[in-house]
Amino acid sequence: MDLWTVQLPGHVPYDEALDLQRRVRAARQAGTIPDTVLTLEHAPVYTRGRRSDPAELPFGDAWYAERGIDVVDTDRGGKVTYHGPGQLVAYPIVAVDDVMAFVQRLEDVMVDALREEGLDARGRAHEGRDFTGVWVGDRKVGSIGLHISHGVTMHGLSINIDGDLEPFTWIVPCGLGGVAMTSIERENGRAGRMKCVRARVAHGLADALGHRQRIVTPQALERALAAVPAGAGAALSTSG
């Protein structure tokens, strides 16, 4: 089976990416497209997962809006995190039958990509769901948050490449007080690694799923989605 790999251009607003994910998942649930991963960078945004607490955003939505950062509620697992330019985001929209095994695969893919950058990275999902993600020492460099509906995933992973880390200091990232967020650039001084890490993560996901990677343009994806019969997957769109 192929893994369609779609790179979205620019800094994608979160709501636009969320709408696209939902349409891709409906098509995957209907069986009209294969497993697909969207890779992108977001415009600045804080997202609140299902387990978020108001104290994780201590300054309030208006304060963040004044600094150009939207706050969005989402149905993924996990707590508050930040997305912005210089951070790789990958949304694998794939069929899974073992969620914890899939989380482990995501951590392994991220660890392998970061070790290619010279980082001594490790996953910590085995220590409890609050520690899910990828770490360098006691610093967090990558996050994972998923939502599963009728066996198909949405949302996914993020890796800090060379973006501004200050917005993480304005929240309680991932609900973990006192945790420092880091990036490839902060750890090894190397900026401009987005293209390489994105390619490694996409290829690693295909390998981890036992698929062949197939590069698909956003335009080709939209054509495939337009061919999906109206209402396909609608009955499967509730949380599961």
Side-chain angles (χ1 to χ4, degrees):
M1 180 184 290
D2 288 337
L3 176 70
W4 283 9
T5 302
V6 184
Q7 178 184 334
L8 303 181
H11 297 151
V12 184
Y14 188 81
D15 287 347
E16 289 184 15
L18 184 60
D19 176 70
L20 179 58
Q21 285 188 79
R22 287 171 174 157
R23 291 189 291 127
V24 171
R25 184 162 71 176
R28 181 66 188 93
Q29 289 171 330
T32 59
I33 65 171
D35 287 345
T36 298
V37 59
L38 309 175
T39 64
L40 63 143
E41 296 175 69
H42 274 305
V45 64
Y46 292 120
T47 63
R48 289 187 286 225
R50 295 192 304 269
R51 296 191 297 116
S52 294
D53 184 279
E56 294 166 16
L57 289 155
F59 299 113
D61 292 10
W63 188 91
Y64 297 115
E66 290 173 358
R67 285 148 184 83
I69 306 177
D70 293 331
V71 179
V72 178
D73 290 311
T74 185
D75 60 359
R76 63 162 171 79
K79 299 190 177 185
V80 166
T81 195
Y82 169 74
H83 299 302
Q87 179 194 75
L88 171 66
V89 174
Y91 292 134
I93 302 167
V94 305
V96 300
D97 53 17
D98 186 329
V99 176
M100 292 311 299
F102 182 64
V103 170
Q104 184 64 61
R105 287 178 180 178
L106 293 182
E107 283 191 347
D108 291 345
V109 167
M110 297 162 75
V111 165
D112 289 345
L114 289 165
R115 285 181 176 168
E116 288 291 325
E117 294 295 318
L119 274 63
D120 184 16
R122 62 192 174 101
R124 295 177 64 185
H126 62 282
E127 298 179 36
R129 63 181 181 178
D130 286 345
F131 296 95
T132 299
V134 176
W135 303 69
V136 179
D138 60 357
R139 303 171 300 283
K140 192 171 187 182
V141 67
S143 301
I144 295 172
L146 300 173
H147 179 262
I148 314 294
S149 176
H150 292 265
V152 178
T153 63
M154 213 171 77
H155 305 291
L157 64 87
S158 61
I159 301 176
N160 300 325
I161 309 295
D162 56 7
D164 182 9
L165 295 175
E166 186 175 18
F168 284 109
T169 70
W170 300 336
I171 62 173
V172 181
C174 307
L176 297 172
V179 168
M181 301 297 292
T182 191
S183 65
I184 291 174
E185 182 181 31
R186 178 162 292 184
E187 293 297 321
N188 65 14
R190 300 177 72 188
R193 304 301 297 169
M194 179 65 70
K195 182 177 180 180
C196 292
V197 177
R198 181 174 58 225
R200 290 194 192 108
V201 167
H203 189 268
L205 282 170
D207 281 351
L209 294 168
H211 294 346
R212 299 179 303 270
Q213 185 181 23
R214 178 182 172 191
I215 306 299
V216 174
T217 66
Q219 295 79 11
L221 176 63
E222 286 291 350
R223 288 194 295 271
L225 296 179
V228 177
L236 302 177
S237 62
T238 58
S239 299

PDB file of all heavy atoms in Angstrom, residues 51-67:
ATOM      1  N   ARG A  51      -7.448  17.255  27.375  1.00  0.00           N
ATOM      2  CA  ARG A  51      -7.127  17.223  28.810  1.00  0.00           C
ATOM      3  C   ARG A  51      -6.566  18.551  29.308  1.00  0.00           C
ATOM      4  O   ARG A  51      -6.018  18.621  30.405  1.00  0.00           O
ATOM      5  CB  ARG A  51      -6.129  16.089  29.092  1.00  0.00           C
ATOM      6  CG  ARG A  51      -6.685  14.700  28.808  1.00  0.00           C
ATOM      7  CD  ARG A  51      -5.766  13.602  29.343  1.00  0.00           C
ATOM      8  NE  ARG A  51      -4.466  13.596  28.705  1.00  0.00           N
ATOM      9  CZ  ARG A  51      -3.315  13.831  29.329  1.00  0.00           C
ATOM     10  NH1 ARG A  51      -3.286  14.132  30.618  1.00  0.00           N
ATOM     11  NH2 ARG A  51      -2.173  13.767  28.656  1.00  0.00           N
ATOM     12  N   SER A  52      -6.709  19.608  28.530  1.00  0.00           N
ATOM     13  CA  SER A  52      -6.139  20.897  28.912  1.00  0.00           C
ATOM     14  C   SER A  52      -6.848  21.498  30.114  1.00  0.00           C
ATOM     15  O   SER A  52      -8.048  21.298  30.325  1.00  0.00           O
ATOM     16  CB  SER A  52      -6.201  21.883  27.742  1.00  0.00           C
ATOM     17  OG  SER A  52      -5.362  21.466  26.690  1.00  0.00           O
ATOM     18  N   ASP A  53      -6.079  22.268  30.869  1.00  0.00           N
ATOM     19  CA  ASP A  53      -6.592  23.003  32.028  1.00  0.00           C
ATOM     20  C   ASP A  53      -6.402  24.495  31.740  1.00  0.00           C
ATOM     21  O   ASP A  53      -5.399  24.895  31.145  1.00  0.00           O
ATOM     22  CB  ASP A  53      -5.798  22.601  33.279  1.00  0.00           C
ATOM     23  CG  ASP A  53      -6.354  23.260  34.526  1.00  0.00           C
ATOM     24  OD1 ASP A  53      -6.029  24.444  34.761  1.00  0.00           O
ATOM     25  OD2 ASP A  53      -7.086  22.584  35.253  1.00  0.00           O
ATOM     26  N   PRO A  54      -7.342  25.356  32.147  1.00  0.00           N
ATOM     27  CA  PRO A  54      -7.194  26.796  31.888  1.00  0.00           C
ATOM     28  C   PRO A  54      -5.883  27.377  32.398  1.00  0.00           C
ATOM     29  O   PRO A  54      -5.349  28.337  31.815  1.00  0.00           O
ATOM     30  CB  PRO A  54      -8.393  27.411  32.610  1.00  0.00           C
ATOM     31  CG  PRO A  54      -9.420  26.329  32.626  1.00  0.00           C
ATOM     32  CD  PRO A  54      -8.645  25.045  32.774  1.00  0.00           C
ATOM     33  N   ALA A  55      -5.327  26.811  33.468  1.00  0.00           N
ATOM     34  CA  ALA A  55      -4.082  27.342  34.031  1.00  0.00           C
ATOM     35  C   ALA A  55      -2.891  27.168  33.105  1.00  0.00           C
ATOM     36  O   ALA A  55      -1.853  27.809  33.304  1.00  0.00           O
ATOM     37  CB  ALA A  55      -3.790  26.654  35.366  1.00  0.00           C
ATOM     38  N   GLU A  56      -3.034  26.349  32.086  1.00  0.00           N
ATOM     39  CA  GLU A  56      -1.928  26.146  31.146  1.00  0.00           C
ATOM     40  C   GLU A  56      -1.733  27.343  30.217  1.00  0.00           C
ATOM     41  O   GLU A  56      -0.691  27.468  29.570  1.00  0.00           O
ATOM     42  CB  GLU A  56      -2.175  24.877  30.322  1.00  0.00           C
ATOM     43  CG  GLU A  56      -2.152  23.601  31.159  1.00  0.00           C
ATOM     44  CD  GLU A  56      -2.726  22.405  30.447  1.00  0.00           C
ATOM     45  OE1 GLU A  56      -2.879  22.460  29.215  1.00  0.00           O
ATOM     46  OE2 GLU A  56      -3.031  21.408  31.136  1.00  0.00           O
ATOM     47  N   LEU A  57      -2.735  28.221  30.148  1.00  0.00           N
ATOM     48  CA  LEU A  57      -2.648  29.476  29.384  1.00  0.00           C
ATOM     49  C   LEU A  57      -2.868  30.618  30.369  1.00  0.00           C
ATOM     50  O   LEU A  57      -3.930  31.245  30.399  1.00  0.00           O
ATOM     51  CB  LEU A  57      -3.688  29.494  28.261  1.00  0.00           C
ATOM     52  CG  LEU A  57      -3.415  28.551  27.098  1.00  0.00           C
ATOM     53  CD1 LEU A  57      -4.697  28.171  26.390  1.00  0.00           C
ATOM     54  CD2 LEU A  57      -2.437  29.196  26.115  1.00  0.00           C
ATOM     55  N   PRO A  58      -1.885  30.937  31.187  1.00  0.00           N
ATOM     56  CA  PRO A  58      -2.099  31.814  32.341  1.00  0.00           C
ATOM     57  C   PRO A  58      -2.429  33.261  32.013  1.00  0.00           C
ATOM     58  O   PRO A  58      -3.004  33.962  32.850  1.00  0.00           O
ATOM     59  CB  PRO A  58      -0.773  31.721  33.105  1.00  0.00           C
ATOM     60  CG  PRO A  58       0.237  31.324  32.075  1.00  0.00           C
ATOM     61  CD  PRO A  58      -0.498  30.427  31.124  1.00  0.00           C
ATOM     62  N   PHE A  59      -2.096  33.729  30.793  1.00  0.00           N
ATOM     63  CA  PHE A  59      -2.295  35.147  30.503  1.00  0.00           C
ATOM     64  C   PHE A  59      -3.621  35.446  29.830  1.00  0.00           C
ATOM     65  O   PHE A  59      -3.973  36.618  29.666  1.00  0.00           O
ATOM     66  CB  PHE A  59      -1.140  35.667  29.638  1.00  0.00           C
ATOM     67  CG  PHE A  59       0.199  35.546  30.313  1.00  0.00           C
ATOM     68  CD1 PHE A  59       1.159  34.672  29.818  1.00  0.00           C
ATOM     69  CD2 PHE A  59       0.496  36.276  31.446  1.00  0.00           C
ATOM     70  CE1 PHE A  59       2.391  34.546  30.442  1.00  0.00           C
ATOM     71  CE2 PHE A  59       1.722  36.158  32.072  1.00  0.00           C
ATOM     72  CZ  PHE A  59       2.672  35.284  31.572  1.00  0.00           C
ATOM     73  N   GLY A  60      -4.359  34.437  29.419  1.00  0.00           N
ATOM     74  CA  GLY A  60      -5.667  34.654  28.811  1.00  0.00           C
ATOM     75  C   GLY A  60      -5.583  34.846  27.311  1.00  0.00           C
ATOM     76  O   GLY A  60      -4.585  35.317  26.766  1.00  0.00           O
ATOM     77  N   ASP A  61      -6.677  34.480  26.630  1.00  0.00           N
ATOM     78  CA  ASP A  61      -6.697  34.492  25.164  1.00  0.00           C
ATOM     79  C   ASP A  61      -6.400  35.868  24.581  1.00  0.00           C
ATOM     80  O   ASP A  61      -5.716  35.987  23.557  1.00  0.00           O
ATOM     81  CB  ASP A  61      -8.056  34.012  24.660  1.00  0.00           C
ATOM     82  CG  ASP A  61      -8.295  32.539  24.944  1.00  0.00           C
ATOM     83  OD1 ASP A  61      -7.503  31.930  25.696  1.00  0.00           O
ATOM     84  OD2 ASP A  61      -9.289  31.994  24.416  1.00  0.00           O
ATOM     85  N   ALA A  62      -6.918  36.936  25.199  1.00  0.00           N
ATOM     86  CA  ALA A  62      -6.733  38.283  24.648  1.00  0.00           C
ATOM     87  C   ALA A  62      -5.253  38.672  24.659  1.00  0.00           C
ATOM     88  O   ALA A  62      -4.757  39.294  23.708  1.00  0.00           O
ATOM     89  CB  ALA A  62      -7.561  39.295  25.435  1.00  0.00           C
ATOM     90  N   TRP A  63      -4.539  38.328  25.719  1.00  0.00           N
ATOM     91  CA  TRP A  63      -3.110  38.647  25.822  1.00  0.00           C
ATOM     92  C   TRP A  63      -2.340  37.965  24.707  1.00  0.00           C
ATOM     93  O   TRP A  63      -1.467  38.574  24.065  1.00  0.00           O
ATOM     94  CB  TRP A  63      -2.588  38.205  27.178  1.00  0.00           C
ATOM     95  CG  TRP A  63      -1.189  38.641  27.505  1.00  0.00           C
ATOM     96  CD1 TRP A  63      -0.819  39.793  28.153  1.00  0.00           C
ATOM     97  CD2 TRP A  63       0.029  37.936  27.221  1.00  0.00           C
ATOM     98  NE1 TRP A  63       0.550  39.841  28.295  1.00  0.00           N
ATOM     99  CE2 TRP A  63       1.100  38.713  27.721  1.00  0.00           C
ATOM    100  CE3 TRP A  63       0.321  36.729  26.594  1.00  0.00           C
ATOM    101  CZ2 TRP A  63       2.428  38.322  27.613  1.00  0.00           C
ATOM    102  CZ3 TRP A  63       1.638  36.332  26.465  1.00  0.00           C
ATOM    103  CH2 TRP A  63       2.683  37.123  26.985  1.00  0.00           C
ATOM    104  N   TYR A  64      -2.670  36.705  24.444  1.00  0.00           N
ATOM    105  CA  TYR A  64      -1.974  35.984  23.373  1.00  0.00           C
ATOM    106  C   TYR A  64      -2.342  36.553  22.006  1.00  0.00           C
ATOM    107  O   TYR A  64      -1.487  36.663  21.118  1.00  0.00           O
ATOM    108  CB  TYR A  64      -2.304  34.493  23.448  1.00  0.00           C
ATOM    109  CG  TYR A  64      -1.840  33.841  24.740  1.00  0.00           C
ATOM    110  CD1 TYR A  64      -2.758  33.318  25.644  1.00  0.00           C
ATOM    111  CD2 TYR A  64      -0.497  33.776  25.062  1.00  0.00           C
ATOM    112  CE1 TYR A  64      -2.347  32.750  26.834  1.00  0.00           C
ATOM    113  CE2 TYR A  64      -0.075  33.207  26.260  1.00  0.00           C
ATOM    114  CZ  TYR A  64      -0.996  32.692  27.139  1.00  0.00           C
ATOM    115  OH  TYR A  64      -0.576  32.131  28.318  1.00  0.00           O
ATOM    116  N   ALA A  65      -3.615  36.935  21.844  1.00  0.00           N
ATOM    117  CA  ALA A  65      -4.043  37.505  20.570  1.00  0.00           C
ATOM    118  C   ALA A  65      -3.285  38.792  20.265  1.00  0.00           C
ATOM    119  O   ALA A  65      -2.945  39.073  19.107  1.00  0.00           O
ATOM    120  CB  ALA A  65      -5.548  37.760  20.584  1.00  0.00           C
ATOM    121  N   GLU A  66      -3.003  39.603  21.299  1.00  0.00           N
ATOM    122  CA  GLU A  66      -2.233  40.830  21.100  1.00  0.00           C
ATOM    123  C   GLU A  66      -0.832  40.535  20.558  1.00  0.00           C
ATOM    124  O   GLU A  66      -0.210  41.397  19.933  1.00  0.00           O
ATOM    125  CB  GLU A  66      -2.117  41.591  22.418  1.00  0.00           C
ATOM    126  CG  GLU A  66      -3.429  42.215  22.893  1.00  0.00           C
ATOM    127  CD  GLU A  66      -3.302  42.822  24.277  1.00  0.00           C
ATOM    128  OE1 GLU A  66      -2.196  42.726  24.877  1.00  0.00           O
ATOM    129  OE2 GLU A  66      -4.304  43.385  24.766  1.00  0.00           O
ATOM    130  N   ARG A  67      -0.342  39.351  20.794  1.00  0.00           N
ATOM    131  CA  ARG A  67       0.988  38.938  20.316  1.00  0.00           C
ATOM    132  C   ARG A  67       0.913  38.103  19.045  1.00  0.00           C
ATOM    133  O   ARG A  67       1.888  37.476  18.640  1.00  0.00           O
ATOM    134  CB  ARG A  67       1.717  38.190  21.446  1.00  0.00           C
ATOM    135  CG  ARG A  67       2.203  39.177  22.502  1.00  0.00           C
ATOM    136  CD  ARG A  67       2.221  38.599  23.896  1.00  0.00           C
ATOM    137  NE  ARG A  67       2.623  39.661  24.844  1.00  0.00           N
ATOM    138  CZ  ARG A  67       1.765  40.563  25.333  1.00  0.00           C
ATOM    139  NH1 ARG A  67       0.483  40.527  24.989  1.00  0.00           N
ATOM    140  NH2 ARG A  67       2.192  41.503  26.167  1.00  0.00           N
TER     141      ARG A  67
END
